[in-house]
């Protein structure tokens, strides 16, 4: 099983420190959230490490569903930049958040959803053209975030010819049981964290109410062969989660 760790918990430590910490734990994959200070990588840094990368497009200040066309176009360009960097860094997968409903967009929901679809379609086409996988992530239960429902996200990625990042914590927060999370054939990437079901807490695995026994059984039965990316909020939760996974396996 391929195990990785997101830079989320280790932000904003220098990337060299992050990679060294992960290699000390014999972790093979790191997911770089591609915004400051990880928006660029020094020449030669990756050559001095064996760890493989996936890329998460920026989280801050972008909205692929914005009805402000300057913001929407800039958001598309930021996602494309992450894809270009993925190619340069020998990563073949980029995680993308769908857009969100703007405050002034609630009365024109149909138009916002149309903009979101157009943006994601353009990004998906770009990913195919440069030879990487675009994986759209399901969102947690937070007002304005689109695609909190796995069934809706599955329909979206089918329509735009892309793939899914299954965020287990988000799915649990949205009410999906562990037994149902791996029913979607376009899952190509997985984020792991834990919560108590009430909020997207990004806590250490085994500290919330997610049934990981059932989840790992579902992973085996689905023959999922991608990376299980630990995406928790604190450094100590990384170690605790990795220890938890080792016991599960």
């Amino acid at each position: 099983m391929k195990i990785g760790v997101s830079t989320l918990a280790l932000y904003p430590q220098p990337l060299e420190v992050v990679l060294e910490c992960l290699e000390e734990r014999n972790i093979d994959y790191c997911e770089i959230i591609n915004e400051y200070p990880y928006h660029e990588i020094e020449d030669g840094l990756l050559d001095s490490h064996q760890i493989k990368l996936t890329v998460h497009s920026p989280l801050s200040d972008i909205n692929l569903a914005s009805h402000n066309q300057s913001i929407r176009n800039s958001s598309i360009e930021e996602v494309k930049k992450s894809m270009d960097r993925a190619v340069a860094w020998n990563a073949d997968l980029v995680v993308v958040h769908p857009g969100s409903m703007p405050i002034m967009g609630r009365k024109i929901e149909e138009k916002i959803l149309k903009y979101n679809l157009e943006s994601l379609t353009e990004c998906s086409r770009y990913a195919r053209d440069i030879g990487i996988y675009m994986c759209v992530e399901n969102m947690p239960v937070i007002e304005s975030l689109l695609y909190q429902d796995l069934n809706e996200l599955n329909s979206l990625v089918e329509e735009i010819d892309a793939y899914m990042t299954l965020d287990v914590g988000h799915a649990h927060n949205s009410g999906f049981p562990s037994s149902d999370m791996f029913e979607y054939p376009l899952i190509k990437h997985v984020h792991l964290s834990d919560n108590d079901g009430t909020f997207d807490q990004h806590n250490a695995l085994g500290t919330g109410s997610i049934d990981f026994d059932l989840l790992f059984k579902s992973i085996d039965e689905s023959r999922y062969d991608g990376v299980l990316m630990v995406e928790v909020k604190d450094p100590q939760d990384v170690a605790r989660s990795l220890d938890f996974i080792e016991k599960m396996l």
Side-chain angles (χ1 to χ4, degrees), residues 46-185:
L46 295 180
D47 293 337
S48 62
H49 294 275
Q50 298 299 313
I51 201 161
K52 303 178 184 69
L53 301 181
T54 61
V55 175
H56 198 308
S57 61
L59 303 173
S60 304
D61 303 324
I62 72 169
N63 184 8
L64 292 172
S66 178
H67 56 326
N68 181 319
Q69 295 306 297
S70 295
I71 298 298
R72 187 167 78 92
N73 290 332
S74 294
S75 299
I76 292 170
E77 289 307 308
E78 287 301 312
V79 172
K80 289 180 177 179
K81 284 180 185 178
S82 290
M83 293 176 175
D84 290 337
R85 287 167 179 153
V87 172
W89 299 341
N90 293 318
D92 64 357
L93 185 151
V94 174
V95 178
V96 176
H97 280 194
S100 59
M101 181 66 65
I103 293 173
M104 296 297 290
R106 294 169 184 168
K107 293 185 178 180
I108 53 169
E109 180 176 348
E110 185 175 337
K111 185 176 288 292
I112 297 302
L113 295 177
K114 176 176 175 288
Y115 288 149
N116 192 54
L117 179 61
E118 289 175 353
S119 299
L120 288 167
T121 299
E122 181 175 342
C123 291
S124 179
R125 186 180 302 117
Y126 189 80
R128 292 195 303 276
D129 287 346
I130 64 174
I132 64 170
Y133 301 108
M134 181 177 101
C135 299
V136 186
E137 182 177 349
N138 60 303
M139 295 290 96
V141 180
I142 296 176
E143 186 179 6
S144 85
L145 296 186
L146 302 177
Y147 293 101
Q148 302 174 19
D149 185 282
L150 290 176
N151 296 302
E152 292 179 357
L153 180 58
N154 185 68
S155 296
L156 170 74
V157 295
E158 284 183 343
E159 181 175 357
I160 67 175
D161 196 14
Y163 298 89
M164 183 191 300
T165 291
L166 168 64
D167 189 298
V168 169
H170 295 175
H172 181 63
N173 178 226
S174 298
F176 285 85
S178 297
S179 57
D180 294 349
M181 291 184 190
F182 278 84
E183 292 183 350
Y184 305 94

